[in-house]
Amino acid sequence: MVDPEDALTIRAVAERLMQANPQLDPGLVQSAVRTAYEELKYARVRAYLPVLMERRAQDLLPSDSDLAERGA
């Protein structure tokens, strides 16, 4: 079960990434954010959880060059 505060963080991070990457499937973005959360949910310093989640999720998502290679 996800803490209500963490659920808000997950939603906010997913929304930011979907706005930054409109070419990606929203389900893919949400999955990457949830994976990032699962990897980081036991972090001692919770203040940095949103930025760490966003960076990790961005690393998990395909880059523009990956998308271009698949489309070519």
Side-chain angles (χ1 to χ4, degrees), residues 10-56:
I10 291 168
R11 188 174 343 156
V13 170
E15 287 175 2
R16 279 196 304 272
L17 286 173
M18 284 188 272
Q19 288 176 350
N21 301 287
Q23 74 281 10
L24 296 177
D25 177 60
L28 180 64
V29 174
Q30 290 175 347
S31 177
V33 172
R34 286 200 173 112
T35 298
Y37 172 75
E38 290 299 320
E39 292 176 1
L40 298 165
K41 68 182 176 182
Y42 297 113
R44 286 182 154 189
V45 182
R46 308 288 293 176
Y48 300 113
L49 188 59
V51 70
L52 293 173
M53 283 174 50
E54 189 166 348
R55 288 180 183 175
R56 178 62 181 135

Side-chain angles (χ1 to χ4, degrees), residues 21 23-24 28 57-67 70:
N21 301 287
Q23 74 281 10
L24 296 177
L28 180 64
Q58 188 69 48
D59 288 345
L60 294 170
L61 293 170
S63 67
D64 288 338
S65 61
D66 291 340
L67 294 173
R70 290 182 193 160

